[in-house]
């Protein structure tokens, strides 16, 4: 092993180790106990740290002139709420009122300690025995009724309180999880808990928040570190990982001195039907901007002049002379964007599946296949959206079920499935799911998937493994759009593609401002 290789190997290992593994509520509670024992601190100190971390983020929302109602239960989530009330008071917040729901069998020790501290301050506390003890409207609610200890169906009192808060508040911020949220069971069918505008999670985002069904529970979520032992958390087994910047930057290959175009791989993009060639042009341009050494567009000879004017860097190959084409020279191939559904399309895709070149299948390349066609290729990435996925793998009632199908198929067949979502899931042959943390609604426009296909294919051509190319491609695609969305209401696929290379530089170096 050379020294340079060894250094980058260690760096990548460390980056994986430091990536956030998503864990269950139960495991989080074990981490809570472990941290207290290991650091020799009382659990109430951990509660103080959690409340501080919450407040630090909360004050960034500039709500100090609003009336803040802290609605608390009597477990530790409620204890957090009381500590938050005290800390906001210390920060100079003038309009704080605390409502304690009295329908709990008992109070936790740390709740009681925080209640005692709160009672010494000039903050109104209302003890609520019925719905009538709550005001008719709220401005800002800090929801601290139930957290990870939520363990059974809500009774009519809690359901009525939560309905009232949902219907009569301007802004609801939940502590750790929205009260009543089925974070581990994913059972959202008849949800009657809090619908937060923002949830501030402790230490880890919840897997549930990455599933589209969670829109009933929270509009947005942010995660704050509360000082739990990271080494212990990282040792908890999990199949789900939240992709972060450090992991992706460690994956990206450097452009080295004395390198040349041959050092960065050769991408082949199959062009689509005459009416949808824009899709393959977008994929090709994304491959160029993502740093592939060469990119060739396979298309009809009559289209060569248009392709060359659109993107002079593109090379062209004649689809009419396919039998003369030496596929061995391509380091990675993309097919699907604008392909069209036909028997000929299916023949093209099946031919590519017989080759060993790293391959990305998207859109119509998936629409002409069945799932049986997808096994046996050693370097295959497929990038379906929900409908494409369900056509191949059958209808799914929930996103959690869909995710489980993708996870097991990827593992059983040794392929990478990029299941597109606001938080795209990348399911790997090792049975892991990487969850992409970048991207935003400004990207919702036709052609965006074609750009993603180009990004992933270029990274494959540059030598990344299929799961690495998929993870890095998704992250950079969304990261570029996030930077652009600060200045643009809509981030079109062309705009995103034009800025890919700049965004990669910023990703590696910061600061994160694209202009
Ligand atoms: N993990 C960490 O690292 C840290 C966690 N921290 C915080 O602690 C929170 C977890 O606290 P927790 O364990 O006390 O549980 P919590 O959510 O307050 O609820 C318990 C109470 O609710 C009750 N109850 C349950 N279901 C119910 C229902 N359907 N309807 C009615 N009642 C119901 C239950 O009743 P019981 O089952 O005992 O009868 C009990 O009284 C966590 O989310 C975070 O905010 C931080 O402070 C520090 C670091
Ligand atoms: K809560």
């Amino acid at each position: 092993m050379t020294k340079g290789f060894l250094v980058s190997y260690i760096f990548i290992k460390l980056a994986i180790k430091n990536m956030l593994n998503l864990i269950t509520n139960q495991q989080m509670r074990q981490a809570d106990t472990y941290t207290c024992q290991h650091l020799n601190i009382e659990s109430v100190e951990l509660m103080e740290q959690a409340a501080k971390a919450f407040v630090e983020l909360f004050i960034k929302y500039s709500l100090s002139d609003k009336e803040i109602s802290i609605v608390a239960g009597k477990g530790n989530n409620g204890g957090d709420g009381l500590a938050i009330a005290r800390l906001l008071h210390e920060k100079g917040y003038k309009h704080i009122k605390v409502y304690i729901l009295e329908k709990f069998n008992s109070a936790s020790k740390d709740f009681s300690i925080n209640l005692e501290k709160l009672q010494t301050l000039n903050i109104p506390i209302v003890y609520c025995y019925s719905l009538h003890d709550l005001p008719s409207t709220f401005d800002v609610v800090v929801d601290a009724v139930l957290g990870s200890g939520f363990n059974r169906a809500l009774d009519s009192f809690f359901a009525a309180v939560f309905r009232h808060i949902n219907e009569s508040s301007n802004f609801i911020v939940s502590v750790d999880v929205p009260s009543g949220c089925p974070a581990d069971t994913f059972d959202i069918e008849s949800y009657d808990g809090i619908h937060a505008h923002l949830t501030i999670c402790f230490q880890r985002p919840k897997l549930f928040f990455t599933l589209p069904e969670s829109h009933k529970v929270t509009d947005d979520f942010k995660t704050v570190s509360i000082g739990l032992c990271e080494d212990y958390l990282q040792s908890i087994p999990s199949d789900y990982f939240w992709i972060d910047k450090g992991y992706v930057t460690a994956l990206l290959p450097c452009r080295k001195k004395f390198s040349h175009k041959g050092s960065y791989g050769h991408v082949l993009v199959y062009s689509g039907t005459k009416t949808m060639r824009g899709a393959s042009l977008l994929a090709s341009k994304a491959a160029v901007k993502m740093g592939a050494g060469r990119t060739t567009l396979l298309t009809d000879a009559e289209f060569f002049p248009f392709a060359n004017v659109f993107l002079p860097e593109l090379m062209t190959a004649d689809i009419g002379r396919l039998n003369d084409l030496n596929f061995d020279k391509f380091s990675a191939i993309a097919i699907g964007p604008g392909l069209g559904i036909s028997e000929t399309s299916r023949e093209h895709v099946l031919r590519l599946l017989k080759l060993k070149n790293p391959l990305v299948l998207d859109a119509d390349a998936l629409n002409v296949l069945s799932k049986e066609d997808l096994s046996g290729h050693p370097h295959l990435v497929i990038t379906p959206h929900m409908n494409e996925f369900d056509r191949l793998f059958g209808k799914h009632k929930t996103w959690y079920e869909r995710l489980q199908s993708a996870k097991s198929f990827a593992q059983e067949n040794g392929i990478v499935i990029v299941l597109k979502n606001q938080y795209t899931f990348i399911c790997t042959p090792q049975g892991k799911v990487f969850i992409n943390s970048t991207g935003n609604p400004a990207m919702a426009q036709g052609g965006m998937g074609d750009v993603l296909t180009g990004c992933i294919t270029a990274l494959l051509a540059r030598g990344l493994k299929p799961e690495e190319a998929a993870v890095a491609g998704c992250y950079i695609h969304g990261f570029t759009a996030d930077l652009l969305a600060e200045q643009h209401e809509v981030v079109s696929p062309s705009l995103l593609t034009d800025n890919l290379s700049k965004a990669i530089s910023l990703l590696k170096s910061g600061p994160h401002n694209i202009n």
Side-chain angles (χ1 to χ4, degrees):
M1 216 185 259
T2 64
K3 194 173 157 210
F5 182 76
L6 183 66
V7 169
S8 63
Y9 175 79
I10 292 171
F11 187 45
I12 289 172
K13 275 278 178 208
L14 282 176
I16 292 170
K17 186 170 168 275
N18 291 331
M19 197 165 30
L20 294 187
N21 50 341
L22 302 192
I23 58 179
T24 62
N25 276 343
Q26 180 63 26
Q27 290 167 325
M28 186 60 97
R29 294 151 85 83
Q30 287 162 7
D32 182 9
T33 311
Y34 176 88
T35 301
C36 291
Q37 285 167 355
H38 187 70
L39 300 180
N40 197 18
I41 58 172
E42 294 291 331
S43 57
V44 71
E45 289 177 56
L46 201 54
M47 185 175 278
E48 191 73 10
Q49 284 174 203
K52 272 189 186 145
F54 179 98
V55 165
E56 224 164 87
L57 183 59
F58 182 87
I59 58 180
K60 297 202 172 124
Y61 286 80
S62 309
L63 300 166
S64 58
D65 58 334
K66 308 278 183 215
E67 192 154 296
I68 315 273
S69 302
I70 315 266
V71 184
K74 297 181 82 168
N76 287 338
N77 196 249
D80 290 341
L82 304 189
I84 288 164
R86 171 169 44 78
L87 293 172
L88 286 175
H89 176 79
E90 282 172 16
K91 295 262 177 211
Y93 280 62
K94 300 259 179 299
H95 318 289
I96 302 172
K97 210 161 178 181
V98 173
Y99 297 89
I100 296 174
L101 303 187
E102 284 294 340
K103 293 279 171 101
F104 284 80
N105 297 330
S106 58
S108 78
K109 180 170 111 293
D110 295 340
F111 169 90
S112 304
I113 295 172
N114 272 293
L115 182 58
E116 246 177 64
K117 288 187 189 174
L118 194 69
Q119 283 164 335
T120 64
L121 302 176
N122 186 22
I123 297 177
I125 304 177
V126 181
Y127 299 90
C128 306
Y129 295 88
S130 84
L131 202 54
H132 304 295
D133 296 320
L134 290 168
S136 55
T137 60
F138 295 96
D139 198 353
V140 177
V141 168
V142 172
D143 153 39
V145 181
L146 297 167
S148 60
F150 169 66
N151 59 15
R152 57 184 180 273
L154 295 172
D155 69 16
S156 56
F157 171 75
F158 284 98
V161 167
F162 296 152
R163 195 177 322 116
H164 175 58
I165 293 175
N166 289 340
E167 286 169 359
S168 58
S169 312
N170 286 328
F171 192 58
I172 305 174
V173 187
S174 287
V175 179
D176 200 19
V177 284
S179 294
C181 167
D184 283 349
T185 62
F186 310 101
D187 179 10
I188 196 75
E189 195 86 349
S190 50
Y191 183 64
D192 48 7
I194 286 288
H195 180 158
H197 296 96
L198 171 69
T199 298
I200 299 182
C201 311
F202 292 157
Q203 204 80 20
R204 291 284 189 275
K206 309 284 175 202
L207 173 62
F208 177 63
F209 295 166
T210 67
L211 303 168
E213 286 93 345
S214 71
H215 79 271
K216 289 186 184 169
V217 168
T218 190
D219 293 346
D220 196 9
F221 63 91
K222 302 261 186 271
T223 308
V224 291
S225 170
I226 64 166
L228 296 184
C229 284
E230 263 304 326
D231 279 350
Y232 178 82
L233 281 165
Q234 292 289 347
S235 73
I236 296 175
S238 171
D239 287 342
Y240 301 94
F241 295 87
W242 184 247
I243 304 170
D244 65 8
K245 178 180 171 233
Y247 180 66
V248 174
T249 32
L251 286 177
L252 288 178
C254 299
R255 297 183 88 83
K256 295 209 182 87
K257 220 170 170 181
F258 302 116
S259 62
H260 50 84
K261 63 186 177 191
S263 316
Y264 300 107
H266 192 164
V267 164
L268 177 71
V269 176
Y270 258 67
S271 176
T273 58
K274 288 188 180 167
T275 51
M276 296 193 289
R277 283 205 182 103
S280 54
L281 288 177
L282 281 171
S284 304
K285 189 170 175 185
V288 169
K289 298 285 182 179
M290 200 64 162
R294 281 172 287 190
T295 302
T296 294
L297 181 69
L298 183 67
T299 187
D300 306 304
E302 68 182 42
F303 191 59
F304 289 179
F306 301 103
N308 285 325
V309 169
F310 173 75
L311 190 64
E313 294 87 342
L314 265 188
M315 300 190 296
T316 40
D318 188 352
I319 203 163
R321 302 180 59 188
L322 205 52
N323 290 336
D324 299 341
L325 195 62
N326 173 15
F327 282 96
D328 289 346
K329 68 181 180 185
F330 300 112
S331 343
I333 301 175
I335 184 164
L339 182 67
I341 299 177
S342 67
E343 201 39 52
T344 320
S345 299
R346 179 169 162 79
E347 281 162 21
H348 282 303
V349 182
L350 289 178
R351 175 199 281 241
L352 294 181
L353 277 166
K354 288 204 183 90
L355 305 175
K356 298 285 173 264
N357 310 55
L359 180 62
V360 181
L361 303 183
D362 180 32
D364 282 344
L366 296 171
N367 290 332
V368 296
L369 295 179
S370 68
K371 72 174 179 184
E372 288 72 28
D373 297 318
L374 293 170
S375 54
H377 192 287
H379 314 288
L380 179 60
V381 179
I382 67 170
T383 60
H385 57 54
M386 183 182 89
N387 293 339
E388 288 159 353
F389 185 85
D390 278 10
R391 194 205 65 79
L392 273 167
F393 297 95
K395 281 257 169 268
H396 293 83
K397 232 172 104 203
T398 67
W399 264 85
Y400 186 68
E401 284 173 16
R402 187 171 293 115
L403 178 58
Q404 296 315 303
S405 289
K407 185 172 178 282
S408 38
F409 190 87
Q411 187 169 22
E412 284 155 18
N413 295 278
I415 72 169
V416 173
I417 300 182
V418 175
L419 179 55
K420 291 178 205 164
N421 174 26
Q422 164 71 55
Y423 301 96
T424 290
F425 301 112
I426 297 132
C427 305
T428 75
Q430 295 76 31
K432 304 282 178 217
V433 179
F434 293 88
I435 302 170
N436 189 37
S437 55
T438 60
N440 61 74
M443 305 164 74
Q445 206 167 52
M448 203 46 95
D450 308 323
V451 173
L452 178 65
T453 296
C455 292
I456 296 173
T457 314
L459 291 169
L460 278 172
R462 291 183 64 179
L464 269 63
K465 290 189 199 140
E467 57 271 25
E468 295 172 341
V471 164
C474 289
Y475 187 91
I476 293 166
H477 185 247
F479 176 79
T480 310
D482 288 346
L483 295 179
L484 290 165
E486 287 169 20
Q487 309 269 337
H488 299 267
E489 164 76 10
V490 174
V491 176
S492 69
S494 295
L495 179 67
L496 193 153
T497 313
D498 285 336
N499 285 279
L500 271 173
S501 165
K502 204 169 172 181
I504 296 169
S505 293
L506 291 171
L507 180 65
K508 287 180 166 178
S509 62
H512 296 165
N513 180 351
I514 207 146
N515 295 298

